[in-house]
């Protein structure tokens, strides 16, 4: 199953040990106002839904992630509907962890990952009163499609506002290009320091910057950027040695020695 590591979060398959944290999300009244969770008749029903999510997160054909902050489950993201080259996603962050940008960070990473694996459109929707979720979608490059849907949920009807973003979105492309250019700068600085000032390699700043590079390379985002580059996503003149198949690997091997 795919894994993604962002600046602060880990998007991973859901673990057996996450049952209590997941149930705290399922049973939270505020979550149930904005994410369509069935009305459970017993705790066992909630546990069964948890196990279903966990199984789906291990399925390489599905897009289901637990969202982790410092190894603690704080939310999840899942596919809702897939149609050829488009996919709709839903997401939840526990209210105790909201207003920190975690939803935007997670959704943005998944949108870019979905583009890299072949989807050309990513969709999402929110109840009309869920302004916070709409802001998340807009920060991730999504725009209103003009389509609205009425859904029946928990004995009431809700108006859903539909959003979408395409692979050619200037906002998403800027996010990806900014990341690649930042990592290119970090890589150049680390390489130059390692070659010309080896004594500085034990400094705190070098180790912290190296940890950022390792997280980028090993955490899934490098592969997303590499795959998008193979699809011609970046301007030809853009400097991006960081996306060379061998450059980062060889550098990290040298630093280990």
């Amino acid at each position: 199953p795919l894994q993604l590591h962002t600046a602060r979060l880990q998007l991973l398959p859901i673990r057996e040990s996450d049952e209590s944290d997941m149930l705290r999300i399922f049973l939270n009244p505020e979550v149930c106002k904005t994410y369509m969770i069935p009305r459970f008749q017993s705790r066992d029903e909630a546990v069964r839904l948890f196990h279903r999510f966990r199984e789906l997160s291990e399925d390489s054909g599905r897009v289901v992630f637990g969202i982790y902050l410092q190894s603690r489950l704080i939310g999840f993201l899942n596919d809702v509907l897939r149609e050829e080259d488009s996919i709709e996603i839903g997401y939840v962050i526990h209210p105790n962890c909201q207003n920190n940008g975690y939803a935007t960070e997670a959704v943005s990473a998944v949108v870019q990952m979905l583009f890299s694996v072949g989807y050309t459109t990513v969709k999402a929707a929110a109840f009309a009163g869920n302004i916070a979720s709409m802001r998340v979608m807009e920060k991730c490059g999504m725009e209103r499609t003009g389509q609205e849907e009425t859904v029946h949920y928990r004995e009431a009807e809700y108006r859903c506002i539909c959003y979408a973003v395409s692979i050619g979105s200037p906002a998403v492309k800027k996010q990806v290009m900014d990341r690649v250019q930042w990592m290119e700068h970090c890589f150049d600085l680390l390489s130059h320091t390692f070659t010309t000032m080896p004594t500085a390699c034990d400094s705190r700043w070098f180790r912290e910057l190296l940890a950022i590079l390792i997280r980028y390379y090993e955490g899934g985002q490098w592969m997303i950027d590499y795959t998008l580059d193979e699809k011609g996503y970046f301007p030809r003149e853009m400097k991006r040695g960081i996306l060379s198949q061998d450059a980062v690997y060889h550098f990290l091997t040298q630093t280990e020695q």
Side-chain angles (χ1 to χ4, degrees):
L2 287 170
Q3 300 185 14
L4 291 172
H5 294 253
T6 67
R8 299 177 295 173
L9 305 173
Q10 303 84 45
L11 281 71
L12 310 171
I14 297 167
R15 307 167 302 197
E16 184 73 35
S17 59
D18 295 323
E19 180 179 311
S20 61
D21 286 333
M22 192 71 146
L23 263 59
R24 274 193 283 270
I25 296 171
F26 285 163
L27 301 174
N28 185 282
E30 293 303 312
V31 170
C32 295
K33 290 178 182 178
T34 58
Y35 187 92
M36 295 178 66
I37 293 175
R39 194 186 297 277
F40 302 115
Q41 300 302 313
S42 67
R43 187 179 187 279
D44 286 346
E45 288 186 2
V47 171
R48 283 196 291 273
L49 183 60
F50 161 73
H51 286 295
R52 179 59 178 157
F53 265 84
R54 192 176 66 81
E55 290 168 3
L56 291 174
S57 75
E58 295 283 354
D59 184 343
S60 60
R62 299 296 299 269
V63 180
V64 179
F65 290 106
I67 302 173
Y68 295 85
L69 176 67
Q70 298 176 350
S71 299
R72 178 77 181 268
L73 183 77
I74 64 167
F76 58 86
L77 183 150
N78 62 288
D79 54 9
V80 176
L81 180 67
R82 291 173 294 170
E83 297 176 320
E84 297 181 356
D85 58 356
S86 73
I87 183 169
E88 181 178 346
I89 60 173
Y91 50 89
V92 172
I93 297 290
H94 191 283
N96 289 350
C97 297
Q98 291 176 2
N99 300 314
N100 291 291
Y102 298 140
T104 301
E105 191 169 324
V107 173
S108 181
V110 170
V111 166
Q112 294 165 21
M113 180 274 291
L114 291 169
F115 288 155
S116 76
V117 299
Y119 290 101
T120 60
T121 303
V122 181
K123 302 176 181 179
F127 290 161
N130 191 356
I131 304 302
S133 187
M134 293 182 196
R135 287 176 178 164
V136 167
M137 292 185 281
E138 289 166 0
K139 288 177 182 177
C140 294
M142 294 187 180
E143 298 179 343
R144 289 195 184 197
T145 64
Q147 179 183 1
E148 296 185 6
E149 299 175 354
T150 301
V151 297
H152 187 76
Y153 171 59
R154 295 198 173 198
E155 295 81 47
E157 288 191 343
Y158 294 86
R159 184 166 59 95
C160 278
I161 310 298
C162 300
Y163 280 75
V165 62
S166 68
I167 191 170
S169 161
V172 175
K173 184 167 286 192
K174 183 180 185 304
Q175 291 171 0
V176 178
M177 288 175 60
D178 285 349
R179 178 177 64 238
V180 172
Q181 289 172 329
W182 162 241
M183 293 311 307
E184 180 80 6
H185 172 72
C186 293
F187 183 51
D188 286 348
L189 181 58
L190 287 166
S191 300
H192 178 74
T193 302
F194 183 80
T195 303
T196 63
M197 295 180 289
T199 55
C201 295
D202 291 326
S203 64
R204 180 177 176 179
W205 73 263
F206 185 92
R207 291 297 170 188
E208 289 179 349
L209 205 58
L210 182 63
I212 291 172
L213 177 65
I214 292 171
R215 184 168 62 242
Y216 172 68
Y217 184 66
E218 297 181 352
Q221 286 195 313
W222 180 90
M223 183 54 69
I224 289 172
D225 296 341
Y226 173 80
T227 305
L228 289 172
D229 191 27
E230 291 288 290
K231 296 175 181 288
Y233 197 70
F234 304 112
R236 184 172 298 179
E237 66 277 9
M238 177 178 155
K239 185 174 181 290
R240 53 190 185 279
I242 186 75
L243 300 182
S244 163
Q245 280 189 305
D246 298 327
V248 181
Y249 174 79
H250 287 157
F251 174 71
L252 293 178
T253 302
Q254 287 180 313
T255 59
E256 288 175 358
Q257 296 172 353

